[in-house]
């Protein structure tokens, strides 16, 4: 999408700025085109339906500044094949990896009825899907108690940091421009999710307005979550231990060169987590041989990967024991030793600041800052505090673009980690409803918060901006290892005790773990014998 320039107006024609690539000489259809970027860029006028100009692309480095036409007559001669597709890699896959199977002999513990209603242990919720947000989660309840009305990833912007025109226009809004639903993968067994899988399909429309079924765009499955809780009584040596089990609801998008994986995880302890994984291929440009750039990193001969950011916005519509909720900022603050209550200087107190009117705040890990969604009219019978859930915001770097830049004006939601707004129908889009070639974020979360509406003891929405600043590494090419970000919503005085206490004890009779030496004696003997004695002594201790 053609990001707007400073001199654009609402009447400016809609454009697509095309960045072109070639295939490797073998011309395989799955060739990694991003290893062969072309040094020119056509601009298509959507209104006129034709190419209106061709822009040259700078290929110089630090030595050339913003100069163009530095590549000579054969600007791509130094580019080489750099393939990710398994059939095209010159070395075969590693041979020492044995199969790992996820087996559930009695079937899954979840059920799905009415097409989208999921029940799993004490959790109940419905699954939604639309062209823009993709996967959404509705009417989330734990043991019958309402927790969240609606959960979704509202927006994502990817601004690039190369100031050389036309690269300065690169600012994708992957949901507002492309659509998380429109770009959702059709998932398949044994590839994207392991174990016993239930798939949800959705509906999209083509350019004629006709419905098209989006097959298997969301997968549902269970996975082991490691130890859920454990304690060994040091007097009796008896251990209480449970293995955690998580329910995973996942969708994967392919937006041009990048992949994004969103997974909602529902946990036995009442936690709800959003795991975001970024992978795929870097957006690349050509650079002359032997040159480097401060706007990115050379990741392959002739290939510059520009610095950029991935900034998401999570939309949380709570209903903790009802729709009337409050957001409280909670900081852990040192009590001065000069105060009478703290003569030894070891104390700190919690400073709780409720949002009275709509507005914003930022993460502060040095203050252990969290944001609690509470129902002030319902008190926990043990602590006396209002029942709640807390979000510990990810303290990521926010939007780096200049204060007066078009990039910043288009993505005001990325200026702060936390926004609190009063619920209104239709307030769904953090970056505004119309992001394609926008000049500013209009009717987005910045405008929602600017209303200065009363939000204490109201029907509210909490928004969280999170993400990463991606300064590329050579290891990110030709395909990027997943970069993982996890956000947690945790019960805070919502229950009267650990809600996972009733998870069954972890036992070998159920888990059926196997000693390697019993399964493969010849292999185990070779690996274990040299250190077996030392290992046993440590185990006994």
């Amino acid at each position: 999408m053609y990001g707007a320039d400073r001199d654009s107006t609402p009447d400016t024609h809609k454009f697509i700025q095309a960045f072109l690539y070639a295939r490797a000489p073998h011309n395989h259809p799955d060739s990694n085109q991003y290893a062969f970027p072309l040094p020119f860029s056509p601009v298509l006028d959507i209104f006129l339906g034709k190419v209106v100009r061709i822009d040259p692309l700078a290929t110089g480095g630090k030595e050339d500044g913003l100069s163009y036409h530095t590549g000579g007559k054969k600007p791509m001669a130094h580019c080489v094949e750099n393939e990710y597709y398994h059939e095209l890699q010159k070395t075969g896959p590693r041979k020492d990896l044995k199969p790992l199977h996820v087996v559930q002999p009695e079937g899954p513990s979840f059920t799905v009825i009415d097409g989208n209603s999921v029940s799993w242990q004490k959790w109940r919720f419905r699954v939604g899907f639309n062209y823009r947000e993709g996967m959404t989660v509705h009417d989330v309840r734990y043991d019958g108690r309402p927790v969240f009305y609606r959960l979704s990833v509202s927006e994502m912007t990817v601004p690039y940091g190369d100031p050389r025109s036309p690269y300065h226009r690169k600012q994708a809004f992957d949901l507002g421009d492309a659509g998380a639903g429109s770009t959702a993968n059709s998932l398949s067994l044994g590839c994207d999710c392991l174990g016993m899988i239930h798939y949800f399909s959705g509906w999209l429309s083509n350019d004629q307005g006709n419905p098209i079924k989006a097959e298997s765009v969301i997968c549902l499955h269970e996975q082991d979550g490691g130890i859920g809780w454990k304690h060994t009584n040091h007097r009796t040596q008896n251990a209480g231990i449970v293995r955690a089990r998580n329910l995973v609801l996942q969708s994967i998008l392919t937006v041009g060169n990048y992949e994004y994986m969103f997974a909602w995880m529902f946990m036995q302890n009442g936690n709800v987590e959003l795991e975001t994984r970024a992978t795929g291929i870097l957006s690349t440009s050509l650079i002359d041989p032997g040159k480097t750039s401060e706007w990115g990193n050379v990741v392959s001969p002739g290939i510059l990967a520009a610095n950029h950011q991935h900034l998401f916005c999570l939309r949380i519509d709570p209903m903790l024991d009802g729709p009337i909720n409050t957001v409280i900022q909670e900081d852990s603050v040192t009590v001065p030793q000069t105060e009478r209550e703290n003569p030894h200087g070891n104390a700190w107190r919690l400073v709780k600041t409720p949002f009275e009117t709509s507005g914003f705040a930022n993460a502060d890990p040095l203050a252990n800052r969290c944001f609690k969604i509470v129902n002030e009219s319902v008190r926990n019978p043990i602590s006396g505090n209002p029942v709640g859930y807390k979000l510990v915001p990810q303290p990521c770097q926010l939007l780096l673009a200049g204060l007066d830049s078009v990039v910043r004006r288009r993505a005001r939601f990325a200026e702060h980690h936390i926004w609190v707004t009063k619920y209104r129908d239709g307030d769904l889009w953090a970056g505004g409803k119309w992001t394609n070639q926008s000049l500013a974020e209009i009717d987005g979360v910045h405008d929602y918060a600017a209303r200065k509406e009363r939000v204490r003891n109201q029907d509210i929405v909490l928004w969280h901006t999170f993400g990463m600043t991606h300064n590329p590494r050579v290891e990110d090419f030709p395909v990027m290892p997943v970069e993982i970000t996890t956000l947690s919503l945790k019960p805070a005085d919502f229950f009267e005790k650990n809600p996972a206490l009733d998870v069954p004890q972890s036992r070998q009779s159920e888990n059926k773990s196997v000693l390697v030496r019993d399964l493969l004696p010849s292999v185990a003997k070779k690996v274990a014998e040299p250190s077996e004695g030392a290992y046993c002594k440590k185990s006994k201790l």
Side-chain angles (χ1 to χ4, degrees), residues 284-530:
T284 60
S285 60
L286 195 63
I287 189 168
D288 299 337
K291 294 182 180 178
T292 60
S293 173
E294 60 182 320
W295 316 125
N297 193 31
V298 177
V299 295
S300 187
I303 305 304
L304 178 67
N307 301 331
H308 57 283
Q309 294 184 282
H310 302 261
L311 295 168
F312 308 83
C313 192
L314 171 64
R315 184 181 184 274
I316 304 165
D317 187 349
M319 57 170 184
L320 299 183
D321 281 342
I324 305 304
N325 294 159
T326 298
V327 173
I328 296 175
Q329 177 182 305
E330 184 178 282
D331 294 342
S332 300
V333 178
T334 298
V335 177
Q337 195 166 345
T338 55
E339 290 194 16
R340 184 176 61 183
E341 297 90 345
N342 191 30
H344 303 291
N346 64 308
W348 68 89
R349 61 168 52 99
L350 303 187
V351 177
K352 301 179 181 181
T353 309
F355 278 76
E356 301 286 351
T357 58
S358 55
F360 55 82
N362 289 317
D364 186 354
L366 297 181
N368 193 45
R369 179 169 293 170
C370 68
F371 294 85
K372 288 185 176 177
I373 311 165
V374 302
N375 187 328
E376 294 189 90
S377 66
V378 181
R379 297 281 166 169
N380 184 291
I382 307 299
S383 68
N385 294 324
V387 297
Y389 261 69
K390 74 174 182 178
L391 168 70
V392 179
Q394 186 207 26
C396 70
Q397 190 169 37
L398 291 165
L399 194 64
L400 283 167
L403 294 177
D404 193 38
S405 66
V406 176
V407 170
R408 180 174 288 264
R409 293 203 303 268
R410 298 179 73 206
R412 301 294 301 274
F413 74 88
E415 292 184 322
H416 299 287
H417 293 113
I418 293 292
W419 303 83
V420 179
T421 63
K422 187 174 181 179
Y423 175 85
R424 286 195 189 185
D425 287 347
D427 284 2
L428 295 170
W429 321 120
K433 188 174 183 179
W434 311 110
T435 60
N436 188 343
Q437 203 171 322
S438 62
L439 301 176
E441 180 187 299
I442 298 174
D443 199 25
V445 73
H446 181 271
D447 288 344
Y448 305 159
R451 298 171 189 152
K452 293 300 178 184
E453 295 174 303
R454 185 169 171 245
V455 293
R456 187 168 186 179
N457 293 318
Q458 299 290 323
D459 190 355
I460 58 171
V461 178
L462 174 64
W463 312 71
H464 177 30
T465 301
F466 67 97
M468 64 177 179
T469 298
H470 189 182
N471 301 317
R473 313 166 295 159
V474 174
E475 291 85 353
D476 291 330
F477 200 74
V479 66
M480 174 184 162
V482 291
E483 190 79 19
I484 304 174
T485 299
T486 302
L487 304 177
S488 293
L489 289 158
K490 300 181 180 181
D493 293 353
F494 193 73
F495 300 105
E496 295 182 24
K497 59 180 69 175
N498 179 351
L501 277 178
D502 58 352
V503 176
Q505 170 89 355
S506 182
R507 300 182 189 279
Q508 168 62 3
S509 59
E510 297 293 330
N511 295 332
K512 300 188 185 326
S513 297
V514 178
L515 282 171
V516 174
R517 77 177 91 190
D518 295 338
L519 183 64
L520 300 170
S522 59
V523 175
K525 182 177 180 182
K526 189 187 306 180
V527 174
E529 272 185 349

Side-chain angles (χ1 to χ4, degrees), residues 100-120:
L100 190 158
H101 296 156
V102 178
V103 179
Q104 294 178 273
E106 298 180 18
S109 300
F110 61 79
T111 58
V112 180
I113 61 173
D114 297 334
N116 71 344
S117 179
V118 178
S119 299
W120 180 72

